[in-house]
Amino acid sequence: MKYFIDTANLDQIKEAYDLGILDGVTTNPSLMAKEGIKGEEAVYNHYKTICEIVENGDVSAEVTAVDFKGIVEQGKKLAAIHKNIVVKVPMIPEGVKAIKWFTDNGIRTNCTLIFSAGQAMIAAKAGAAYVSPFIGRIDDSGWDGIELIQQIANIFAIQGIKTEILAASIRNSLHIIKCAESGANVCTCPLDSILGLTKHPLTDIGLAKFMEDAKKFE
Ligand code: G3P
């Protein structure tokens, strides 16, 4: 499974990249707004900087248009920023049409706001490189986000679909483990959830004891 970070914050992206385990970045309009970035030029420069930090990793940049023409226009501009930009398109009929257009024109897409297997199937059929089921938001609404990952992974395996399942809206480290168990190809996570994977109280206790004993033979 690949590890993406779900943020537009450059310090957090650098921290995850420096860990040596980062495969890519996903952003969305809410995450960009959180960084206080305003205006087309600033947004494009920000995406370029992110691409340079992660070198060979894919970077999802989301369109804000909701009509076919607008999505295609924005997507073309975003894709021109850097070879690793993946155009993130919402799961709506106009978005599906645009994903098909991007597929036919050699531009990779990530279909976002996926909450059902049917949505994932249609995005894959249109040629999306990634589909992004929102695990945490499904859990928040009283359903089981991990079950959706399992269902999509099962369908894609049976049907031989190559679209990658990019589990999004991750709330904690356990989500990441469950996504790996469930057949997600990628998990995009907040930095804290990634760092949480490195932690265990018995590791801390064990290390303290090793450090104490190490003093005995220094
Ligand atoms: O990037 C999309 C997704 O990860 C959003 O997560 O926490 O806003 O539900 P969240």
Side-chain angles (χ1 to χ4, degrees):
M1 188 175 78
K2 285 180 276 190
Y3 292 80
F4 286 10
I5 188 165
D6 195 27
T7 184
N9 182 279
L10 300 181
D11 290 338
Q12 291 188 14
I13 293 168
K14 279 183 200 139
E15 191 174 337
Y17 181 79
D18 287 346
L19 262 185
I21 53 82
L22 193 68
D23 297 301
V25 178
T26 53
T27 62
N28 62 40
S30 308
L31 294 171
M32 291 294 278
K34 208 168 151 189
E35 299 309 308
I37 304 147
K38 281 191 170 56
E40 195 176 75
E41 202 187 329
V43 166
Y44 287 12
N45 284 337
H46 199 77
Y47 282 135
K48 193 161 176 284
T49 306
I50 293 174
C51 289
E52 285 163 359
I53 295 171
V54 293
E55 298 180 336
N56 294 319
D58 281 349
V59 175
S60 285
E62 189 159 342
V63 297
T64 52
V66 288
D67 63 295
F68 171 77
K69 200 164 163 274
I71 295 171
V72 167
E73 284 314 307
Q74 282 187 3
K76 282 196 288 189
K77 285 188 198 169
L78 290 169
I81 296 171
H82 193 280
K83 65 177 173 49
N84 294 338
I85 289 281
V86 176
V87 179
K88 207 169 173 190
V89 180
M91 169 35 76
I92 49 176
E94 292 289 287
V96 174
K97 274 163 60 178
I99 289 169
K100 178 70 171 77
W101 188 93
F102 289 128
T103 305
D104 292 344
N105 288 276
I107 293 174
R108 291 179 306 141
T109 53
N110 170 3
C111 187
T112 189
L113 292 165
I114 296 281
F115 293 92
S116 76
Q119 291 179 319
M121 286 160 57
I122 291 298
K125 179 70 181 168
Y130 299 101
V131 287
S132 290
F134 277 30
I135 304 313
R137 292 193 197 183
I138 293 172
D139 287 0
D140 293 346
S141 67
W143 297 73
D144 188 342
I146 294 298
E147 268 182 17
L148 178 60
I149 297 291
Q150 291 164 349
Q151 188 184 23
I152 297 171
N154 195 28
I155 293 169
F156 282 14
I158 290 168
Q159 299 293 334
I161 293 168
K162 301 286 178 237
T163 297
E164 294 192 69
I165 304 167
L166 193 165
S169 186
I170 297 298
R171 298 278 189 262
N172 52 57
S173 304
L174 185 59
H175 263 161
I176 304 175
I177 297 164
K178 290 283 176 193
C179 283
E181 273 183 343
S182 304
N185 304 99
V186 189
C187 203
T188 188
C189 325
L191 180 61
D192 284 353
S193 302
I194 296 174
L195 294 176
L197 291 173
T198 69
K199 298 191 172 94
H200 194 286
L202 290 179
T203 304
D204 297 340
I205 293 166
L207 184 61
K209 175 76 175 130
F210 286 157
M211 293 300 97
E212 189 188 315
D213 290 342
K215 285 184 198 140
K216 295 174 188 165
F217 60 85
E218 268 169 6

